[in-house]
Amino acid sequence: MTGPLRPEFHEGQVLAAADLAATVAYARAAAVRHARLAHEWGIADGLALTTENRTDPASGARFVEVSVQAGLAVDGTGREIVVPAPVVLSEADFEAVNGADGPTSEPYPVFLTAADRAQAASGPASCAGSAGPARVEESFQILFRRLGDERLVADQQPPAVNAAPAAPPVPWLVLLGFVQWTGGHFTAAVPEARNVGVRFAGVRADTVSARSGSLSLRTRPLPGEGEPALVLSGSDTPKLVYGLYKGTGDVEPLMTVEPNGNLTIAGSFSGRISAGSVLATSGSATDGMVLPLPAGVTPEEVADGRVSLHVYVTPRIPPSESGLTVPAEATVDGDRRVRCRLRSYDPGAGPAVTERPGAVDFLVLATVAATSGGG
């Protein structure tokens, strides 16, 4: 098995076209391997589908002109696809693929793929005869596909590790978004449909380091007011801060972890109950209702014995101008379901004793016993 071949030259060597081509091929191969294996493929910058309102002069119908903005994508073969300027989507190209479909509001996928275009030689012919192309334009093509073809993106397989830069047998598809089509025109453009969305380029790394001493993680390329951020600072006072960007570009801390492990939060805290603590909830419930668990306690923790419940119920006796009402039953079963029955006797209404569902005030305490180590 042969690894990558690096061209070498020496004085007096006669350079053939293959030697010069090998120099270019070696650099291209190294670049695509890095892009394919050290990064995740997808849109690196730009390439958004944008719309401009238009009116059909014949029918007066409103529609939109859809354009692909300039940008850069890296496909799954490691190849860069550069769109140097905005491109207006062709309605004729769309009709050629999907024009036979009936009316539908479902969005159609739009793809970008790489395309090599040989450029004719502009200089004098060679001594050996006719000159071949001296340049190859690394261009692109915008493709329309059928409804549902966006799922093809996930099925694409990258080439082998040592594969040389070459056009794949099947064009690698980079999803740009979706367009809607009504009455012979585009009517909208959206980035996601049928639970499939645009894929953006990423990086594969086990270590990410910052040279400035502060590493920020945010959800947008540029900080925006109200957007979340995670900042790891290694300056004089190392700490980890989660917060929201302010209009000034600074991060308003919502959670801070100090070097000594102290945790400071701006809001409330909820989660699993810790050893030795008690959580509680209270309220009123009627006959047949299931009592709630305190916040932070799960049914699984109660079922396997990690958390013990202590339930207290007090029947609510409604006021009455005549007669007598007493609780016949006020209990809670193993499923925390309330059983409350009230028994009443009213001499003025007759000798019969009646029984009806009632309500209780409840208190549920959840406890975890402290360990011998205090943890």
Side-chain angles (χ1 to χ4, degrees):
M1 184 176 292
T2 303
L5 294 176
R6 184 175 68 248
E8 293 285 348
F9 304 105
H10 56 81
E11 292 294 338
Q13 177 181 352
V14 176
L15 294 180
D19 297 315
L20 299 178
T23 304
V24 176
Y26 178 81
R28 286 187 66 206
V32 298
R33 282 196 302 270
H34 177 82
R36 184 172 71 243
L37 303 174
H39 296 82
E40 298 288 344
W41 68 270
I43 294 174
D45 186 67
L47 302 180
L49 295 182
T50 59
T51 60
E52 290 285 343
N53 293 325
R54 296 289 186 265
T55 302
D56 189 318
S59 65
R62 301 284 290 174
F63 67 98
V64 296
E65 181 182 83
V66 182
S67 298
V68 178
Q69 295 303 301
L72 169 70
V74 179
D75 70 15
T77 72
R79 172 166 178 169
E80 289 186 348
I81 309 175
V82 179
V83 179
V87 179
V88 177
L89 297 189
S90 169
E91 293 181 337
D93 290 348
F94 179 89
E95 280 197 300
V97 177
N98 299 299
D101 288 0
T104 178
S105 60
E106 287 292 318
Y108 289 84
V110 183
F111 297 100
L112 178 72
T113 189
D116 281 347
R117 294 190 172 94
Q119 304 294 302
S122 58
S126 69
C127 298
S130 61
R135 302 287 189 273
V136 175
E137 180 189 4
E138 295 185 340
S139 188
F140 63 90
Q141 187 177 6
I142 297 173
L143 303 174
F144 297 105
R145 289 293 181 93
R146 306 287 293 165
L147 290 173
D149 279 356
E150 66 276 0
R151 295 182 177 88
L152 298 175
V153 171
D155 297 332
Q156 300 177 110
Q157 297 298 318
V161 171
N162 62 340
V170 178
W172 192 281
L173 300 177
V174 177
L175 181 65
L176 297 178
F178 300 81
V179 291
Q180 289 179 309
W181 179 265
T182 304
H185 294 291
F186 297 123
T187 54
V190 294
E192 180 178 344
R194 296 176 289 277
N195 297 319
V196 179
V198 173
R199 172 176 175 148
F200 293 96
V203 62
R204 300 175 184 175
D206 294 317
T207 300
V208 179
S209 59
R211 292 169 294 175
S212 66
S214 179
L215 184 65
S216 299
L217 179 67
R218 55 177 179 252
T219 58
R220 304 282 182 182
L222 296 175
E225 187 172 2
E227 294 285 340
L230 187 65
V231 181
L232 177 62
S233 174
S235 55
D236 296 337
T237 56
K239 57 186 175 182
L240 176 67
V241 174
Y242 168 77
L244 302 178
Y245 277 109
K246 298 186 292 185
T248 59
D250 299 325
V251 175
E252 180 69 29
L254 297 179
M255 182 187 74
T256 304
V257 181
E258 301 290 346
N260 58 6
N262 288 344
L263 174 66
T264 303
I265 60 175
S268 60
F269 178 83
S270 63
R272 296 183 60 183
I273 182 173
S274 59
S277 62
V278 178
L279 296 179
T281 186
S282 61
S284 299
T286 57
D287 180 66
M289 289 182 60
V290 176
L291 297 182
L293 293 173
V297 178
T298 66
E300 292 75 19
E301 291 174 323
V302 177
D304 61 21
R306 284 177 289 169
V307 174
S308 298
L309 294 183
H310 307 271
V311 182
Y312 303 89
V313 294
T314 303
R316 303 181 69 176
I317 308 299
S320 176
E321 296 181 358
S322 62
L324 176 66
T325 299
V326 296
E329 182 182 11
T331 59
V332 177
D333 64 16
D335 296 325
R336 307 192 312 280
R337 191 177 302 277
V338 173
R339 177 69 178 173
C340 181
R341 308 292 294 180
L342 299 180
R343 191 169 294 159
S344 300
Y345 171 68
D346 188 350
V353 175
T354 60
E355 190 171 295
R356 66 184 190 277
V360 298
D361 294 324
F362 68 84
L363 173 65
V364 179
L365 299 177
T367 63
V368 175
T371 63
S372 59

